[in-house]
């Protein structure tokens, strides 16, 4: 795996994930951070966007998957990983972190996060 990385951090979405019916109705804020391992030398030496991963494509894939309701953040995260790997062939590997703010856990909790690689 190459050592070059692209980070697309702080993608924010209002989504309706969660096991509780109220979460499906009301929704809440989520943050998605993506790291992609990509050989950046071809794009760095040519200044050619087609030789790297376009951040617009990363956002499009994440937005699409965040729009599909799931009970578990784990499923959302895995779908994002799979979509990025399938649709961005220049990405040798990806890591996705999905953060859910103020989860309804019956206590004070700022956020939970799920991190998956693929």
């Amino acid at each position: 795996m190459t050592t070059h990385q692209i980070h697309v951090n702080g993608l924010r979405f209002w989504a309706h994930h969660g096991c509780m019916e109220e979460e499906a109705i009301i929704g809440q804020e989520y943050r998605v951070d993506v790291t992609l391992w990509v050989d950046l030398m071809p794009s760095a030496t040519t200044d050619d966007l087609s030789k790297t991963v376009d951040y617009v494509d990363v956002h499009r894939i994440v937005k699409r998957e965040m729009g599909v309701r799931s009970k578990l953040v784990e499923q959302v995260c895995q779908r994002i990983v799979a979509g990025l790997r399938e649709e961005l062939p220049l990405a040798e590997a990806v890591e996705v972190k999905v953060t859910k703010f103020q989860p309804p856990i019956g206590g004070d909790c700022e956020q939970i996060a799920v991190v998956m690689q693929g």
Side-chain angles (χ1 to χ4, degrees), residues 2-44:
T2 186
T3 58
H4 306 150
Q5 297 175 6
I6 295 174
H7 297 269
V8 182
N9 293 326
L11 299 172
R12 293 191 178 267
F13 302 93
W14 192 265
H16 299 268
H17 308 302
C19 293
M20 299 175 64
E21 191 59 34
E22 293 80 19
E23 293 175 293
I25 296 167
I26 299 169
Q28 58 195 298
E29 183 180 16
Y30 290 81
R31 174 185 164 137
V32 179
D33 300 306
V34 177
T35 301
L36 305 108
W37 281 263
V38 180
D39 181 1
L40 298 178
M41 290 313 295
S43 60

Side-chain angles (χ1 to χ4, degrees), residues 59-115:
H59 181 265
R60 175 184 52 77
I61 293 164
V62 173
K63 181 179 179 181
R64 179 189 68 218
E65 298 306 332
M66 287 299 294
V68 178
R69 175 162 160 61
S70 293
K71 291 180 182 176
L72 301 177
V73 176
E74 291 88 330
Q75 185 181 68
V76 178
C77 195
Q78 178 55 37
R79 280 200 323 267
I80 295 170
V81 167
L84 293 169
R85 292 291 288 141
E86 181 178 322
E87 297 175 49
L88 304 176
L90 294 179
E92 296 174 14
V94 302
E95 179 177 279
V96 174
K97 178 180 178 183
V98 178
T99 302
K100 180 178 186 173
F101 296 97
Q102 300 176 337
I105 63 170
D108 188 20
C109 179
E110 182 180 308
Q111 61 190 15
I112 61 93
V114 171
V115 179

Side-chain angles (χ1 to χ4, degrees), residues 41-56:
M41 290 313 295
S43 60
T45 57
T46 65
D47 201 27
D48 183 347
L49 178 60
S50 71
K51 297 187 183 304
T52 190
V53 171
D54 191 336
Y55 318 140
V56 172

